[in-house]
């Protein structure tokens, strides 16, 4: 698994440490491979496996189009959990190494609800509020873990809902696990965050 941190702030000169400086507006991208192109081209299943999975999930009579939401592979083993931690204190209630799941929103694509008869492509009220289509979700990581989705694209974006208490260098580690015991983990490069109290 690969994780990287990006921000809207300017990147410091090459060779400076840490690699990025942000003003609190940053996101953590997680995907299965270091290249986004590889993430969209690898791990495809063959025709026989596809038919088996279609039977398993009861979507053999789907007559519509999935071109907008299924242009990349999705997983077919249910997710057990996703967790995000930092190697630095985030605030008084979230010391280094503790879960930040209640402080971060995870954005992801999932077709669990769509591939259930009657194949509803209508977004929920919450999705409409945020201008999201029916297969795109944004919720706290803790809520995602309650949902435990299955037909999920393995590309996650994590956004903080609050800045850290103090300025400092953070390395974020994302850990994903499925119900079959598969665990993947990745850590970002160090990122300098500006805290609430300078």
């Amino acid at each position: 698994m690969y994780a990287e941190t990006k921000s809207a702030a300017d990147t410091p000169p090459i060779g400076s440490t840490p690699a990025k400086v942000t003003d609190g507006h940053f996101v953590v991208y997680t995907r299965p491979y270091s290249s986004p192109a590889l993430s969209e081209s690898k791990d495809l299943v063959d025709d026989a496996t596809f038919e088996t999975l279609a039977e398993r999930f009861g979507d053999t009579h789907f007559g519509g189009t999935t071109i907008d939401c299924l242009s990349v592979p999705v997983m077919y083993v249910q997710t057990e959990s996703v967790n995000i931690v930092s190697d630095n204190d985030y605030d008084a209630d979230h010391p280094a190494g503790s879960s930040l799941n209640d402080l971060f929103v995870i954005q992801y694509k999932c077709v669990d609800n769509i591939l259930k008869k009657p194949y509803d492509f209508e977004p929920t009220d919450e999705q409409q509020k945020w201008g999201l289509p029916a297969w795109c979700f944004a919720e706290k990581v803790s809520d995602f873990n309650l949902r435990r989705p299955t037909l999920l694209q393995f590309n996650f974006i994590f956004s903080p809902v609050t800045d850290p208490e103090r300025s400092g260098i953070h390395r974020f580690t994302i850990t994903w696990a499925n119900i079959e015991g598969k665990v993947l983990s990745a850590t970002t490069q160090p990122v300098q965050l500006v805290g609430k109290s300078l």
Side-chain angles (χ1 to χ4, degrees), residues 10-107:
D10 293 334
T11 302
I14 294 175
S16 63
T17 303
K20 294 182 174 67
V21 176
T22 81
D23 58 0
H25 301 288
F26 72 98
V27 294
V28 180
Y29 291 88
T30 307
R31 55 182 181 266
Y33 303 99
S34 58
S35 164
L38 287 175
S39 295
E40 297 185 2
S41 63
K42 295 179 73 72
D43 294 338
L44 293 170
V45 300
D46 57 41
D47 289 346
T49 305
F50 180 88
E51 294 299 329
T52 300
L53 290 170
E55 287 284 345
R56 174 176 166 185
F57 290 103
D59 63 348
T60 55
H61 296 90
F62 181 70
T65 177
T66 59
I67 190 169
D68 291 330
C69 60
L70 289 181
S71 58
V72 295
V74 296
M75 296 184 287
Y76 53 88
V77 177
Q78 186 176 22
T79 293
E80 177 68 35
S81 64
V82 171
N83 292 289
I84 180 169
V85 301
S86 172
D87 67 345
N88 196 356
D89 296 345
Y90 205 84
D91 59 28
D93 295 325
H94 300 84
S98 64
S99 172
L100 301 177
N101 290 354
D102 60 326
L103 296 184
F104 276 75
V105 168
I106 182 173
Q107 299 173 56

Side-chain angles (χ1 to χ4, degrees), residues 101-106 138-145 161:
N101 290 354
D102 60 326
L103 296 184
F104 276 75
V105 168
I106 182 173
E139 59 196 3
K140 284 191 177 180
V141 179
S142 51
D143 293 332
F144 171 93
N145 287 333
V161 296

